[in-house]
Amino acid sequence: NMLNPAAPYLDNWHVAAIARRLVQVRCGKIRRLIICLPPRSLKSIIASVAFPAWVLGREPWRKIVSITYSSTLAAKYANDFRLVVGSPSYQRAFPSTRVSDHKDTEIETVFTAGGYRYSASTTGTITGRGGDIVVCDDPIKSQDVGSDVKREANNKLFRDTIASRLDDKKTGAIIVVMQRLHAGDFVGALLESSNEWTVLNFPAIAERDERIQIGDDEYYHRKAGEPLHAEREPLSLLHKIREEMGPDAWAAQYQQDPAPPGGVMIRKDWIRYHNITVPERSHQHRIFQSWDTAGKTGPRNSFSVCTTSPKENNTYYLLD
């Protein structure tokens, strides 16, 4: 509440799910974590502000580097962090953690025990600076994601930068926090090249039933069609946002499921349900069978899929 006193904090299960994974990062159980959420879901406040403050409160010798695409964003997250660690409630919770008198700026906050939180952007420089944990938050500007050249250059810059910022490559951790913008964005590139990432991926509207762990022995059962945070963004509001954004932007930014360019060839709102087990066959029927064969094996690769559909009066009936 200290970061935005005018807006009361509304708790939700997704905050507990994120917090659980971040605790595992601090304990060394997870070394590569991706968090994908719709806009305005507290992901940056949690990962770039609250998490570094909590880690340094518990272990003020830890070194954390926070990187984003924008120097303005980097300064905002840094100032929010400084506001938290300078608050009386933080000092009561972590009385042994003290900010050094020698270094407390928009770029870097140093603690008397030797730890720090260092902020950087792709327009700045972090040469010679490293840490135990690197938080990569909003790695690309939304205006640049549609350009193949800018997107790939940005992906390479971030991939090369964060990989070289860990002081200890064996024990250091990397956290990537973003909303999906494109099938080939930074998260897409990371998942394409490696299977070592733990992924928290929460769409605005659940597309299937899920069992989500939010504690050691505690789970949240999310039903298909359920909004991420009904108290803050009910279904009626989300449906309105979807209509205003269009299907492609909605699928990427809110559902965290971007389609490749030209890939949204069949839209969900085109599909209707029928109760015909097998349409009556006649000489007018043509049966279409379409195969999408798997090219690779592995946990992140798709299965081979076949659809069988008779066509009648410009309507395709999906039978199997």
Side-chain angles (χ1 to χ4, degrees):
N1 287 346
M2 70 181 69
L3 300 180
N4 189 1
Y9 171 68
L10 301 175
D11 198 14
N12 196 50
W13 60 265
H14 80 277
V15 176
I18 295 171
R20 174 180 172 271
R21 290 302 193 184
L22 291 175
V23 169
Q24 291 179 315
V25 170
R26 179 204 161 223
C27 296
K29 295 180 180 179
I30 294 177
R31 294 181 53 249
R32 299 290 184 270
L33 176 64
I34 288 173
I35 302 172
C36 292
L37 288 169
R40 316 304 298 171
S41 299
L42 296 179
K43 56 186 179 297
S44 293
I45 289 179
I46 295 171
S48 293
V49 180
F51 175 64
W54 176 73
V55 170
L56 286 160
R58 301 291 297 268
E59 300 169 323
W61 56 87
R62 298 292 290 269
K63 300 174 181 178
I64 300 175
V65 176
S66 177
I67 309 172
T68 184
Y69 78 87
S70 163
S71 57
T72 302
L73 271 181
K76 180 188 183 306
Y77 298 153
N79 285 329
D80 286 347
F81 170 83
R82 294 166 66 201
L83 183 63
V84 170
V85 299
S87 67
S89 58
Y90 185 86
Q91 293 301 318
R92 288 193 297 270
F94 306 109
S96 299
T97 298
R98 288 286 181 267
V99 175
S100 171
D101 295 332
H102 302 293
K103 196 78 170 180
D104 184 19
T105 68
E106 283 188 344
I107 295 176
E108 184 176 12
T109 298
V110 177
F111 293 82
T112 55
Y116 58 73
R117 182 194 183 279
Y118 184 84
S119 292
S121 70
T122 53
T123 57
T125 177
I126 55 174
T127 304
R129 304 306 301 265
D132 309 310
I133 300 172
V134 174
V135 180
C136 177
D137 194 340
D138 284 326
I140 189 168
K141 188 164 50 175
S142 59
Q143 295 92 323
D144 292 344
V145 76
S147 166
D148 291 345
V149 173
K150 290 183 178 180
R151 187 180 63 254
E152 290 170 9
N154 182 276
N155 288 348
K156 183 178 187 306
L157 176 63
F158 264 91
R159 186 165 50 240
D160 294 348
T161 299
I162 63 175
S164 63
R165 291 305 98 197
L166 291 175
D167 287 342
D168 190 327
K169 303 298 187 294
K170 293 181 179 179
T171 61
I174 297 172
I175 302 167
V176 177
V177 187
M178 63 179 288
Q179 56 178 301
R180 297 300 305 274
L181 295 169
H182 188 280
D185 60 19
F186 190 46
V187 165
L190 291 176
L191 296 180
E192 180 70 23
S193 61
S194 172
N195 60 3
E196 64 180 343
W197 293 87
T198 297
V199 181
L200 280 182
N201 190 58
F202 297 142
I205 300 176
E207 297 185 348
R208 63 182 185 277
D209 291 350
E210 291 184 272
R211 182 172 179 261
I212 301 161
Q213 191 166 5
I214 59 176
D216 290 341
D217 298 305
E218 189 177 0
Y219 295 84
Y220 181 80
H221 296 270
R222 189 183 186 193
K223 300 295 185 182
E226 181 182 331
L228 177 66
H229 193 171
E231 188 175 6
R232 191 179 62 85
E233 289 185 337
L235 275 176
S236 57
L237 177 59
L238 292 174
H239 289 323
K240 183 178 180 181
I241 293 172
R242 179 169 57 187
E243 291 175 4
E244 293 172 348
M245 295 184 69
D248 292 3
W250 167 264
Q253 291 181 253
Y254 276 79
Q255 294 301 95
Q256 311 309 305
D257 187 22
V264 186
M265 300 187 70
I266 298 178
R267 300 207 314 256
K268 287 184 179 179
D269 58 351
W270 293 352
I271 297 173
R272 299 291 181 267
Y273 291 91
H274 66 84
N275 56 9
I276 303 170
T277 305
V278 179
E280 183 179 349
R281 297 191 178 189
S282 73
H283 67 280
Q284 297 177 339
H285 279 150
R286 298 186 66 186
I287 305 295
F288 290 85
Q289 197 169 71
S290 175
W291 284 86
D292 183 359
T293 56
K296 299 178 182 177
T297 59
R300 295 191 182 278
N301 299 112
S302 299
F303 294 96
S304 293
V305 177
C306 171
T307 64
T308 301
S309 304
K311 179 185 178 183
E312 183 178 16
N313 298 327
N314 290 324
T315 298
Y316 292 84
Y317 293 89
L318 178 62
L319 294 183
D320 190 39

